[in-house]
């Protein structure tokens, strides 16, 4: 299935299992490396919540439900100022981070987006970075 759609779901690892929130990733580019590994470039397309978890053929699989990422709702959030307040709150949480760690986050993730539809994906990637306790103290 994923070979034809070039889509797969991913959740952040939590110990020997995974988080209950994830994102569908659409493959943009695939580069095979000489040692058999591959580099995959993806874009997040839709968020989901995991309802049931199990293992199948050595892979974590689960039953999911989709988040309702409605552009009209995002516009409403921006119109009443709550998204602007959220962005300001996130920036204030990032202020105490050392310049070195902030530079590392910006290099890996790009600048924090102001588009509310992209902000949650950026934050999810930030949380998934190495040493999140340093980045999100």
């Amino acid at each position: 299935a994923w070979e034809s759609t070039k889509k797969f779901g991913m959740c952040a690892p939590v110990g020997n299992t995974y988080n209950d929130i994830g994102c569908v990733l659409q493959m943009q580019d695939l580069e095979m490396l000489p040692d058999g590994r591959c580099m995959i470039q993806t874009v997040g397309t839709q968020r989901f919540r995991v309802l049931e978890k199990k293992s199948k053929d050595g892979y974590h699989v689960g039953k999911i439900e989709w988040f309702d990422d409605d552009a009209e709702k995002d516009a409403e959030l921006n119109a009443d100022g709550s998204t602007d307040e959220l962005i300001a709150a996130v920036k204030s949480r990032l202020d105490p981070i050392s310049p070195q760690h902030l530079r590392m986050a910006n290099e890996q993730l790009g600048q924090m987006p102001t588009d509310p539809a992209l902000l949650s994906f950026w934050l999810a990637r930030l949380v998934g970075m190495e040493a999140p306790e340093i980045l999100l103290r």
Side-chain angles (χ1 to χ4, degrees):
W2 82 271
E3 294 90 349
S4 61
T5 63
K6 297 191 185 325
K7 293 181 182 180
F8 58 95
M10 183 170 283
C11 299
V14 179
N16 62 352
T17 185
Y18 52 92
N19 200 309
D20 293 334
I21 305 297
C23 184
V24 172
L25 301 173
Q26 172 76 47
M27 289 177 47
Q28 301 291 304
D29 190 33
L30 172 70
E31 177 187 347
M32 294 302 295
L33 301 176
D35 64 1
R37 296 178 301 144
C38 58
M39 298 287 290
I40 303 173
Q41 181 179 355
T42 63
V43 165
T45 60
Q46 189 171 8
R47 295 181 298 152
F48 59 83
R49 176 178 286 108
V50 179
L51 302 175
E52 296 176 19
K53 298 177 181 180
K54 62 182 179 179
S55 238
K56 182 177 180 183
D57 299 327
Y59 292 97
H60 294 291
V61 295
K63 183 177 180 180
I64 64 164
E65 69 179 359
W66 300 110
F67 272 96
D68 183 18
D69 287 331
D70 187 338
E72 289 181 31
K73 289 180 185 174
D74 289 340
E76 288 173 18
L77 285 175
N78 202 26
D80 72 9
S82 58
T83 299
D84 293 335
E85 291 172 16
L86 174 64
I87 290 171
V90 168
K91 284 183 178 180
S92 73
R93 289 286 294 171
L94 296 177
D95 282 345
I97 296 175
S98 73
Q100 176 186 0
H101 286 106
L102 191 54
R103 188 171 40 258
M104 180 180 72
N106 287 336
E107 286 172 2
Q108 292 184 18
L109 306 177
Q111 294 293 323
M112 184 175 77
T114 56
D115 179 348
L118 300 175
L119 181 60
S120 63
F121 293 104
W122 188 89
L123 289 172
R125 290 181 62 208
L126 178 65
V127 170
M129 289 180 65
E130 286 190 32
E133 66 280 357
I134 294 172
L135 294 172
L136 300 175
R137 57 182 153 146

